[in-house]
Amino acid sequence: MSDANPVLAPWQQRVHDHAAVALDAGKLGHAQLFCGPVHMGKHAVALQLARRLMCTQPVAGGAPCSKCRGCELMVAGTHPDFMDISFIPTRDGSKLRTEIVIEQIRALSEQLTLTPQFGGAQVAIIDPADMINHAASNALLKTLEEPVPGRHLWLVSARPEKLSATIRSRCQRLEFRLPPRDEARAWLQAQGHPQKAADEALDAARGHPGLADAWLHDGGIALRREVAADLAKLARGDLGAVEAAQRWTAGDDTAMRLRHAADLAVAEAASLTAPARMRKLAAWFDAANRTRELLQTTVRADLAVAELLLAWRG
Ligand SMILES: [Zn+2]
């Protein structure tokens, strides 16, 4: 079924339809910034809009036909006039890079100067655009400053504030916003999640349905329950900070545990009225986030987490 048009979530459909109207009227700016939280489906919407542009025989309403050569090549991921730019492997091929580098942007600029092979539009998606490194960012700016009709440059980012102000100023924004609660619940249930689980996940994800869905699939909600139980035990003195820290840092989910822990601290603070305890939780929230950043460094994770958990108890 990969050739069928994907079913977009209602909040994705709204952004898609808004952009599609402008696109069909030839009024969509050359550079767009798709922004909003992770797991909102920004890339899926950008891809669907690209398919719309690449289809040579759109059906009623302008949707891609899924049958023409343009559509076939888009589904196969080999359309010569479409570029989906993300992290490429390192030189020795052992892992993916963690930033988008200048060679990629140079190749993109080069491509955009060529006549489209299908004679239609050219589209490039850059995701995550906020991970373009400095040199690549300067190269991208040149491309942004020389718009060519029919060439579309779509930047996708969950952290648009990390992009340079000059790049941001060259783009129009397509904002993905969290949907109303009822819509999020209905969508989660349509994904096959029982209502009770969907509600718990939606609360934990603060109304973000895509994140709730991801947590329900990858065990994130179970992990959150475990973190909450550990924090309660630590507070009561039923669990030692060192022992808990060893457990929290034994696997590859340490950052996720700290994220849940920080979030649980905020949730607890929100339910309180005592200013002293609230201040303490706010400070602990900051400390948890700092510890999460420390995990990226050479610091010993178990020691850093033990220190954090000692502070929870105190
Ligand atoms: Zn088509």
Side-chain angles (χ1 to χ4, degrees), residues 179-295:
R181 175 101 186 169
D182 286 352
E183 189 176 289
R185 289 182 81 202
W187 180 81
L188 281 169
Q189 282 173 45
Q191 306 310 303
H193 302 301
Q195 190 177 318
K196 198 160 165 269
D199 281 340
E200 183 193 359
L202 201 54
D203 282 337
R206 295 169 187 254
H208 184 332
L211 189 58
D213 182 53
W215 282 350
L216 285 164
H217 280 296
D218 69 9
I221 288 299
L223 189 68
R224 188 183 178 92
R225 279 195 213 115
E226 201 186 308
V227 167
D230 279 355
L231 289 178
K233 278 189 224 159
L234 281 158
R236 289 198 305 267
D238 292 346
L239 175 66
V242 172
E243 187 191 336
Q246 273 161 5
R247 184 137 43 80
W248 284 28
T249 53
D252 54 7
D253 56 10
T254 311
M256 202 61 217
R257 284 175 191 265
L258 292 179
R259 186 200 153 126
H260 283 307
D263 209 41
L264 287 161
V266 171
E268 188 185 327
S271 69
L272 294 177
T273 47
R277 178 73 183 148
M278 280 165 79
R279 269 197 302 277
K280 206 159 175 229
L281 285 168
W284 196 82
F285 171 81
D286 289 338
N289 287 328
R290 271 199 306 278
T291 308
R292 191 148 59 101
E293 280 164 27
L294 276 179
L295 296 177

Side-chain angles (χ1 to χ4, degrees), residues 51 54-58 64-72:
R51 290 181 66 179
M54 297 307 178
C55 177
T56 54
Q57 291 155 341
C65 72
S66 300
K67 296 187 183 82
C68 71
R69 189 77 184 123
C71 282
E72 274 178 8

Side-chain angles (χ1 to χ4, degrees), residues 6-16 40-41 44-45 176 179 183 187 191 209:
V7 178
L8 295 177
W11 62 90
Q12 297 167 345
Q13 194 71 48
R14 279 193 288 276
V15 180
H16 172 276
M40 287 291 279
V45 170
F176 287 69
E183 189 176 289
W187 180 81
Q191 306 310 303

